[in-house]
Structure formats: structure tokens, C-alpha cells
Amino acid sequence: MALVVQKYGGSSVQSAERIKRVAERIVRTRKDGNDVVVVASAMGDTTDELTDLALAVHPSPPPRELDMLLTSGERISNALLAMAITALGGRARSFTGSQAGMITTGKHGDARIIDVTPGRIFSALSEDGIALVAGFQGVSADSKEITTLGRGGSDTTAVAMAAAMKADVCEIYTDVDGVYSADPRIVPNAKLLETITYEEMLEMAACGAKVLHLRAVEYARREGVPLRVRSSYTDQPGTTIVGSIEELSVEQAVLTGVAHDRSEAKVTVVGVPDQPGFAARIFRAVADVDVNIDMVLQNVSHLRTGKTDVTFTLPVKDGPRAVEALTAVQDEVGHEEVIYDEHVGKVTLVGAGMRSHPGVTATFCESLAEAGVNIEMMNTSEIRISALIRDTQLDDAVRALHEAFDLGGDTEAVVHAGTGR
Amino acid sequence: MALVVQKYGGSSVQSAERIKRVAERIVRTRKDGNDVVVVASAMGDTTDELTDLALAVHPSPPPRELDMLLTSGERISNALLAMAITALGGRARSFTGSQAGMITTGKHGDARIIDVTPGRIFSALSEDGIALVAGFQGVSADSKEITTLGRGGSDTTAVAMAAAMKADVCEIYTDVDGVYSADPRIVPNAKLLETITYEEMLEMAACGAKVLHLRAVEYARREGVPLRVRSSYTDQPGTTIVGSIEELSVEQAVLTGVAHDRSEAKVTVVGVPDQPGFAARIFRAVADVDVNIDMVLQNVSHLRTGKTDVTFTLPVKDGPRAVEALTAVQDEVGHEEVIYDEHVGKVTLVGAGMRSHPGVTATFCESLAEAGVNIEMMNTSEIRISALIRDTQLDDAVRALHEAFDLGGDTEAVVHAGTGR
């Protein structure tokens, strides 16, 4: 008998009707001979509605109370799901994150999982075969306060339960069929991937692919939890995320997909003295206001002036805050100006194959150039090449790369031999 | 510094606007130098909406899951109230029934309070001065499951917290000004009572007065918690419920009010053999289907037939079930038929004064007769006289009694001297 963990997102449980459909799937999984642990998010717009109510009584709701408020959403959906399963003749009980043993740090709104002690869930499974756990929440180790887990919280809850209970698989149900080689809305012949390694999925998620949260994938990779992304509307098997790039043979290592990201902005600090310590002061000023930097480019200094420009990207929502912080230290650092540009986009090619196939970088640049796309910054890892470009050209860039590397349809991605990387 | 417990019902917290008004009152109470513990019900129609959702996924929702579902309502309203208080510059945190130490039996949907250990609330008060406790819920002593307290649950939570914390007063906020000598919608000159003893309030609540739940009043009486019923829309002091009828002097003991009740039905079991054991079998059959009996009348048996009729009243909602149970034992008991009558109403005169003032019963019967109201059954206690009449005559009966005993306006209730009780 296998242990299956299934996570259902807000749109999957947005109404009594959808809840009954999900209950049917859960009961089917049980009837196939599996023990099933279910993690459900709050129904549809519940979290937004509750947040609106909070803002109606406080302009900046206290984090502790916001957690007490928002966790009601998952409580509601999981209790209803348990009822629906019972109506079909199954047995199931719902549990809060606290009851399920989800122990976290004390940071309200963005708690991290410290430990998972799912004894009560094991007991429930031995009696009923199905147990529901409210996602996105836990209880703090030190002060026994209810906490929420921040972005990707429900996905992470599911993976954490799967890891602690040594589940055979953790299935993330969503409204797309799985992980594609590119966004199918941009690239019509995008291919649904059968499998993808943890590291490749991490890069895809980090560079814009929204189907899975980075945090949940990293947790799965670290704990070795087999992940599957599937549609809650069909019976298609979806995409399995498993294995490390280290385990791939040269033949297995291919180019996997293209991700794109519109959520970044570019900051250029112009005329920074090209001496030790000045760039550091710029990045410290930005770090001090809690802003994470992504891509960095430090231009060659001007021989005459002895100054250089420092360019970096960051999340758009943090842009104004970073500019303010840099302007505040302008006298101290001595830069001439701070240029802020929101109209950038990042396009990324991901694949274990690029480690062993020379010429990928060249093909990457050539195909973008042929599409008339100018590369403003580049950034690479062992299995990734990212380029910062004009956001208006993102769709063209995605299509160009996808085409150039044959990522679509029935042909596997191949790289053009004979060109150096 | 006094400790005040305040309970706000669903209509008092039905919107963000009402929540802000209630928060203002709580902050005012704090500024007056009190520690304040607040118990809030779920917002407006939340409990009904959640119940509807449950019924949409299960025709008869499992009680454990219904408790997990419904308790979200109080969590939401108390978290929002804490936020609203903070927005006004106050300090406040919300707690679930479990966190507040509300320990109960394990009967989902109708749990009883076993113990209250409010240590965490005392701590919160010493830090903030204001603490919010979700009403209507607790945690079961044996299995650590979340439970709801059934009818009157939030009032009972407030009284239980007040008792455990030795509060100076427990204020129940509602949408009427307090306890009246009769329903003001029926009797225009009904008087707002300044004070009323626990026992008189118990009788009023048991006999139809809806302003306070019987259960909460009994808990308050047993623990000696001073209760106050007030309007959440004004600053009027309302009605204080305190003291025992034993403590009243003869001068203080008066007639207090008239209650009425439309929620009962009458069952007559015709032609029961007038021998030991038969009436018992009738009541056992009804008890076996969980029906509580109120008034009972056993007629004098017919000398010729040796049979008698047994009549009793019960809640209308239990009527059909009781009739079914009696019909099922008809052969065994031997009664001729079961007559069911829903068109009855109960009118009740309450007051400690009737113990020491003869003639009350006579005046009671005379005033009803003068109003053309026929008494079908009567039932009394030390401080109460109830009569079962036609429900169509209830309003007339209430007015007649209220007038006959001068319960309205500025004159205190007096009884007509010189007539025996």
C-alpha cells in the first residue's frame, strides 16, 4: 500500500461543486489501495476576502492577528472536503497545521518549517485511510502561536508532510496539465514534460515558471520527495519531478525548457568610484531595506573618469524602496545618479544538457539576435542561461529560443553540435 | 481596577463598520481603567452560510467536521476585532477557545464545559489590558478535538470566562436595551427592569424570554457571576441580573414580568389504562427518542372505563418524532389514540413576590378569564405560574396579565391583597 500526499489549490476547491469533484478523486485514490493525505488551500477568493476585511478595520493589520484570521480559510475548505468524502462513503477527518505537527518559526506571515511531527495523522490514517491537513499554517515552536507560511505555503506544507511521513509521492494538483517546455499561451507547440530533475525545476521556478513554488521544490529536493504536478480536471499523469542532474547520463541530459519573468526591474547606479568598497556599500544599502538582488552587472570602468556603473535587477515591488535607499546614500557613496527601469523582462533557457553540450551559449545569443532581441545582461549557472531584455520582446524571445533548441512537439531538444559553449 | 467581560453577538459584529464601533466601546472600557475580556460570536450570517456550505457537500454533516468548520466563524470575528482595537491605539490579541483554556466534553455540536483554565488570558491581560476569546467553542478533555457548545454557547463562554477569572461583571451586549417586564412589541408600556434575581431570570428564559440563554444564566447563578444585559447601540446601563430570591426582603420581592412561548406543541394520549406503569411507559417511549417533556397533565380517570388521558407539552420541533414513538407502542400500552396539537402557546407570570403575596393565582386566572382566554393546563413553581392556552390568544393573555399585575410604566408590580394564593 502506498502513501500518497495530494495538494489542491484554491481554484480546485473554490465551490461546493468543485469540492465534491475533488472528494471523488480522493476516494478513487483510496479505493486504488493507497493511504491518502490531502492538503487543501482556502476556497477560491477566501484569502483575498479575509485580507480585505482586515484592511477595512486596520490599514496595516498586525501580523499575529492576520495569521489567526487567514488560517480560518484552510480550516473551512478542509472540513468541507472531509464532509464531502464522508458523503461518498469514505472516512476522513480534517486537522489544523498545529494538530498535524507542523512546527514553525515565530515569524507571522512568513514562518519557516522547523519540524514536522505527524503522529496524529499517522493514527488517523490507520483508522480512516484518508486524512486532511490545512495547508499554509503551523504553530510556532517557542510561543505556541498560530503562524502562516508565506508564499508557496500550501505546496510546502504538502511536501513537508510527504517528507515527514516518507510518502511515495506528493501530487500537486493545479489547473494546468503539468510542467511545459515553455508557457503554452506564448508557445503553441510547447511540450508537456514527462519528467524533470529537481535542479532543472528549481531553475524554471526561480526564473518565472509559476506552476510550482521554488520553496516547495527545494524542500522536495533536499528530502528526496518525488513530486508530481497534475491537473485537477483530468486524469493525465502530469509531470514528475524527481532525481538529480548528477544521476543523468549524457544521453539523458537534455535541454528542458524556457522560462520567462516579467516581475523584475532594473536599477543602474551611475558613476560609482571604481575603488574597493563602493559597490559593497551600494549592495549593503539595498540589503538594509530587505531587498533581494538577482542579476548583477558591473561595467568596465571609464579609464578617464575612474568611475563605473553598477546595474542589478530586483523584484518590481521592491524597486521604489531600493531607489529610495540608494538616493539616501548618494552623498556618502558619491554616485552621479540612480536610473530605474521597470520595462525589463528575463528569459531563461534551462537544461542539464548544457553542461555537456558545447555551443549552447552561442546558439542562445544567435537566436535572440535573429529575433531582433538585444541582450542587456546575462547570467548563467551550470544548467541555466538567463538574459535580461526589453519586456515588450519577451514573447518573441521565448518563441525564438524554444524554436532554436527544438523544445516543442515530438522532437527532443537537441543542441547544434560543433559550436563551443 | 475591575475586570469586565463583554460578550458581543453576531449582529453586533456583522460588518467591518459594526466591528469598529464595538472596538471603540472596548477601548473606552479599557480607558476607564478596566481590564477587558471580550467574547465575540461569528459575524452576522457567517454561521448560517457555513452551515449551508456544509449541507451542500453532505446532507447530514459529520459533527466533528461541522465543529471544525463552524469554529472558523468566531476565529474570524475575534481576529478582526483585535485588529480594530489595535487601529485605535489599544493593545489586544485574540485567542481560540482552546487557547483560552475552555475544556469541554467530547459531544460535538453540544459540548458542555468541564473546566476553564484561563492562564494564557491572564497573561495577555497583564501585557495588553484587553484579550479576545472566541465564543461558542472549546477543546475536548479526552481527545483534544475542537468542539462547539450548542445553543447559547457564546453567552455561556462569556459567563464561564467571567467565573474562572472572577470578573466583576459579565456584560451581554445585544440589540435590545435589556430585560423587559414583557415583550415590548406586544406590551407598549413594558418596563425596562433595573435588576432581576438569577432565579427570576431563569424562569423568564425558560418560559420564552429570548434575551439571555437559560444555560448562561444558570452558570452565572451557580458561580455567582454578576450579569448585565445591555444594548450595543447605546450607553444605557441595561438590566443587572444578580442575587438570589433568598436574599430579597418581603418588600423587595415583587412580581417581575410576563414571558410567552410559541415554541411548544401539545400531545394527548387518549384512553390509557389507569393502572400503575402505563403512564411511565408513555414517558419512557418519548424519552427514548430524546424528547424533553415540559408540562404534564393527567386527567382524572373515567370511572366507567377505568381509562384516563395523559397530556403533555414538548418543543414543536420534536412533535412528529414523539407522535411516531407513541404510535409505535400503541399495541403494547393500549391507548386509543394520540392527538397532536401545535396551536398552543404558554404564558408565564414570574416574580419572587408571589411566594409571600397570597391571591396571585386567583388574580392570574381571573384576568385571563376576563380577557376571554381559556386555560388548558397550568404549571407552577415557587416563583412562576404558567398557563397553556390557544396560541392565537397569546398576545391578549400577555397584555391582560401585565395590566392586571401593574407591571408596566412607573408603578411597581403590586399584587391585589386579600386573595389567597
Side-chain angles (χ1 to χ4, degrees):
Chain A
M1 174 178 287
L3 170 55
V4 176
V5 175
Q6 297 184 333
K7 179 264 179 175
Y8 293 95
S11 58
S12 299
V13 295
Q14 66 181 301
S15 66
E17 269 315 300
R18 290 295 307 147
I19 285 174
K20 291 200 277 194
R21 296 293 84 77
V22 164
E24 284 165 7
R25 182 186 293 268
I26 294 166
V27 169
R28 268 202 313 275
T29 309
R30 171 85 190 118
K31 284 195 169 138
D32 287 347
N34 305 296
D35 275 348
V36 193
V37 173
V38 179
V39 175
S41 300
M43 292 172 71
D45 297 326
T46 302
T47 306
D48 288 343
E49 287 167 1
L50 288 174
T51 305
D52 286 346
L53 265 177
L55 291 169
V57 299
H58 197 305
S60 177
R64 179 200 186 274
E65 296 303 323
L66 200 51
D67 276 359
M68 286 291 274
L69 178 72
L70 297 182
T71 47
S72 307
E74 284 73 25
R75 195 189 191 89
I76 289 170
S77 60
N78 282 279
L80 288 171
L81 208 32
M83 292 181 190
I85 290 167
T86 310
L88 293 170
R91 294 168 56 119
R93 276 171 287 169
S94 69
F95 298 90
T96 61
S98 170
Q99 292 174 321
M102 190 69 52
I103 315 295
T104 75
T105 61
K107 188 165 161 70
H108 289 291
D110 199 25
R112 303 288 121 174
I113 298 171
I114 293 176
D115 194 11
V116 184
T117 55
R120 203 159 174 182
I121 306 303
F122 273 121
S123 299
L125 276 187
S126 69
E127 294 174 37
D128 303 333
I130 301 173
L132 293 103
V133 176
F136 186 54
Q137 56 179 252
V139 64
S140 63
D142 47 7
S143 51
K144 301 278 180 287
E145 299 274 30
I146 304 300
T147 54
T148 57
L149 303 179
R151 289 173 168 273
S154 286
D155 285 2
T156 307
T157 297
V159 173
M161 292 301 301
M165 301 182 75
K166 299 194 182 347
D168 295 276
V169 68
C170 178
E171 303 185 314
I172 306 290
Y173 284 89
T174 179
D175 42 16
V176 293
D177 289 339
V179 184
Y180 279 88
S181 57
D183 190 332
R185 292 169 297 181
I186 297 177
V187 180
N189 72 330
K191 185 174 69 174
L192 180 65
L193 305 174
E194 240 185 73
T195 66
I196 181 174
T197 60
Y198 288 118
E199 291 95 338
E200 288 168 315
M201 190 63 233
L202 276 170
E203 296 284 14
M204 294 285 277
C207 297
K210 293 189 176 28
V211 65
L212 268 183
H213 284 270
L214 184 68
R215 189 177 168 195
V217 181
E218 174 53 27
Y219 202 120
R221 185 195 68 77
R222 204 173 65 234
E223 302 286 333
V225 175
L227 270 181
R228 192 177 295 152
V229 179
R230 308 176 61 173
S231 166
S232 58
Y233 292 89
T234 74
D235 278 323
Q236 296 307 307
T239 302
T240 303
I241 299 100
V242 71
S244 166
I245 51 176
E246 305 306 328
E247 300 157 357
L248 298 173
S249 67
V250 168
E251 292 74 28
Q252 289 169 316
V254 296
L255 295 177
T256 303
V258 180
H260 69 281
D261 191 347
R262 294 179 199 279
S263 72
E264 298 203 330
K266 182 173 78 167
V267 172
T268 303
V269 186
V270 180
V272 179
D274 189 20
Q275 293 161 36
F278 281 86
R281 259 181 260 180
I282 284 168
F283 294 128
R284 176 58 55 198
V286 169
D288 280 349
V289 289
D290 260 343
V291 174
N292 284 326
I293 287 174
D294 182 23
M295 305 168 81
V296 175
L297 176 70
Q298 181 163 334
N299 293 331
V300 170
S301 69
H302 299 256
L303 287 169
R304 237 183 358 97
T305 63
K307 295 203 175 181
T308 184
D309 299 336
V310 177
T311 303
F312 60 88
T313 65
L314 72 175
V316 148
K317 65 173 174 59
D318 295 334
R321 199 158 83 250
V323 172
E324 196 182 324
L326 290 167
T327 308
V329 300
Q330 191 163 3
D331 288 344
E332 176 199 331
V333 176
H335 49 273
E336 288 161 23
E337 65 176 317
V338 178
I339 303 175
Y340 180 67
D341 183 357
E342 276 189 8
H343 300 292
V344 295
K346 191 166 81 171
V347 65
T348 304
L349 174 73
V350 176
M354 66 179 72
R355 295 186 305 167
S356 44
H357 289 94
V360 174
T361 310
T363 307
F364 183 94
C365 296
E366 282 162 4
S367 58
L368 287 183
E370 269 163 48
V373 177
N374 182 44
I375 298 174
E376 302 179 23
M377 289 170 74
M378 274 183 77
N379 187 292
T380 62
S381 81
E382 201 183 13
I383 59 171
R384 164 179 66 79
I385 304 174
S386 295
L388 197 74
I389 63 179
R390 286 293 98 191
D391 59 2
T392 46
Q393 295 184 301
L394 258 181
D395 288 7
D396 290 339
V398 170
R399 281 188 282 260
L401 290 172
H402 199 268
E403 189 65 33
F405 290 102
D406 264 324
L407 298 177
D410 291 310
T411 50
E412 280 204 86
V414 294
V415 291
H416 299 278
T419 47
R421 160 118 151 89
Chain B
M1 172 175 288
L3 171 55
V4 175
V5 175
Q6 297 184 334
K7 179 263 180 176
Y8 293 95
S11 57
S12 297
V13 294
Q14 65 181 304
S15 65
E17 267 316 299
R18 289 294 307 146
I19 285 174
K20 291 200 278 193
R21 296 293 84 75
V22 164
E24 284 165 8
R25 182 186 291 269
I26 294 166
V27 169
R28 268 204 311 276
T29 310
R30 170 84 189 121
K31 284 199 167 130
D32 287 347
N34 306 295
D35 276 347
V36 193
V37 172
V38 179
V39 174
S41 300
M43 291 172 72
D45 298 324
T46 302
T47 307
D48 289 343
E49 286 167 2
L50 288 174
T51 305
D52 286 346
L53 264 177
L55 292 169
V57 299
H58 197 303
S60 178
R64 178 199 185 275
E65 295 304 322
L66 201 51
D67 277 359
M68 286 292 275
L69 178 72
L70 296 182
T71 47
S72 307
E74 282 75 25
R75 195 188 190 90
I76 290 170
S77 59
N78 282 281
L80 288 171
L81 209 32
M83 291 181 192
I85 291 167
T86 309
L88 293 169
R91 295 168 53 119
R93 278 171 288 169
S94 68
F95 298 89
T96 61
S98 170
Q99 291 174 321
M102 192 68 53
I103 316 295
T104 74
T105 61
K107 188 164 161 71
H108 289 291
D110 200 26
R112 302 288 122 174
I113 298 172
I114 294 176
D115 194 12
V116 184
T117 55
R120 201 157 174 184
I121 307 303
F122 273 122
S123 299
L125 276 187
S126 69
E127 293 174 40
D128 304 332
I130 301 172
L132 293 104
V133 175
F136 185 54
Q137 55 180 253
V139 65
S140 62
D142 48 8
S143 51
K144 300 277 180 289
E145 299 274 30
I146 304 299
T147 54
T148 57
L149 304 178
R151 288 174 169 273
S154 286
D155 285 3
T156 308
T157 297
V159 173
M161 292 301 301
M165 301 182 75
K166 300 195 180 351
D168 295 274
V169 68
C170 178
E171 302 185 315
I172 307 292
Y173 283 90
T174 180
D175 41 18
V176 294
D177 290 340
V179 183
Y180 278 87
S181 57
D183 189 332
R185 292 169 298 182
I186 298 176
V187 180
N189 72 332
K191 186 174 69 175
L192 180 65
L193 305 175
E194 241 185 71
T195 66
I196 182 174
T197 60
Y198 288 118
E199 291 94 337
E200 289 168 314
M201 191 62 233
L202 276 170
E203 296 284 16
M204 294 284 279
C207 298
K210 293 191 179 21
V211 64
L212 267 182
H213 285 270
L214 184 67
R215 187 178 170 198
V217 182
E218 173 53 30
Y219 202 120
R221 186 196 68 78
R222 202 173 65 235
E223 301 285 335
V225 175
L227 268 180
R228 193 177 295 153
V229 180
R230 307 176 63 175
S231 165
S232 57
Y233 292 89
T234 74
D235 278 323
Q236 296 306 307
T239 303
T240 303
I241 298 99
V242 72
S244 165
I245 51 175
E246 306 304 329
E247 299 158 355
L248 299 173
S249 68
V250 169
E251 293 75 27
Q252 289 169 319
V254 296
L255 294 177
T256 303
V258 180
H260 70 282
D261 192 347
R262 294 179 199 279
S263 72
E264 299 202 329
K266 184 173 78 168
V267 172
T268 303
V269 186
V270 181
V272 179
D274 189 19
Q275 293 161 38
F278 282 87
R281 261 181 257 180
I282 284 168
F283 295 128
R284 176 58 57 199
V286 170
D288 281 350
V289 290
D290 258 343
V291 174
N292 283 326
I293 286 173
D294 182 22
M295 304 167 82
V296 174
L297 176 71
Q298 180 164 335
N299 293 331
V300 169
S301 69
H302 298 255
L303 288 167
R304 234 178 8 97
T305 63
K307 294 202 175 179
T308 185
D309 300 336
V310 176
T311 303
F312 60 87
T313 65
L314 75 175
V316 147
K317 63 175 176 60
D318 296 334
R321 200 157 83 252
V323 172
E324 195 182 325
L326 290 167
T327 308
V329 301
Q330 193 162 3
D331 289 343
E332 176 199 331
V333 176
H335 49 274
E336 289 162 18
E337 65 175 317
V338 178
I339 302 176
Y340 180 66
D341 184 355
E342 274 189 10
H343 300 294
V344 294
K346 190 166 81 172
V347 65
T348 304
L349 174 72
V350 175
M354 66 177 72
R355 296 187 303 166
S356 43
H357 290 96
V360 174
T361 310
T363 306
F364 184 94
C365 296
E366 283 164 1
S367 56
L368 287 182
E370 271 164 48
V373 177
N374 183 45
I375 299 173
E376 302 179 24
M377 289 171 75
M378 274 183 77
N379 185 293
T380 63
S381 81
E382 201 182 12
I383 58 172
R384 167 180 63 79
I385 304 173
S386 296
L388 196 75
I389 63 178
R390 286 292 98 192
D391 60 2
T392 45
Q393 296 185 303
L394 259 181
D395 289 6
D396 290 340
V398 170
R399 281 187 283 259
L401 290 173
H402 198 267
E403 189 65 32
F405 290 100
D406 264 323
L407 298 177
D410 290 310
T411 50
E412 279 203 87
V414 294
V415 292
H416 300 278
T419 46
R421 162 121 150 90

